[in-house]
Amino acid sequence: MCSHQPPCPIADSPEHPCAVIVSAHPEQGWSLLCNGIIVFDDTGELLPDGRVVSPRRTVGALAVAA
C-alpha cells in the first residue's frame, strides 16, 4: 500500500502513528494515514480492521482549594 521510502509502519506496528498523512480533514477533526489508520484530533484512532483505539488522555493537576 505504501510507496514512501522508507516505507511507513504497518497498522499493527507500535510506530503506526508515524505514517504519512494522505488525506487531511482538519475541519472535521480527522486524517487518513498511509497505513489505512484514521487518526482523530482527540488522539483516538480507527484501525483498518475496524478496531477502535481510545483517545490517550493525561490526568491534569488537581486544584486544591485553600
Side-chain angles (χ1 to χ4, degrees):
M1 178 190 308
C2 177
S3 61
H4 301 105
Q5 291 301 324
C8 292
I10 62 172
D12 292 337
S13 168
E15 296 87 22
H16 69 261
C18 298
V20 173
I21 295 173
V22 293
S23 181
H25 298 275
E27 71 284 355
Q28 296 176 350
W30 63 275
S31 296
L32 175 64
L33 302 182
C34 184
N35 56 11
I37 295 175
I38 297 173
V39 292
F40 297 95
D41 288 352
D42 68 354
T43 70
E45 300 172 354
L46 181 59
L47 303 179
D49 63 4
R51 289 181 291 153
V52 174
V53 177
S54 297
R56 293 174 291 283
R57 304 201 193 280
T58 57
V59 178
L62 297 174
V64 178

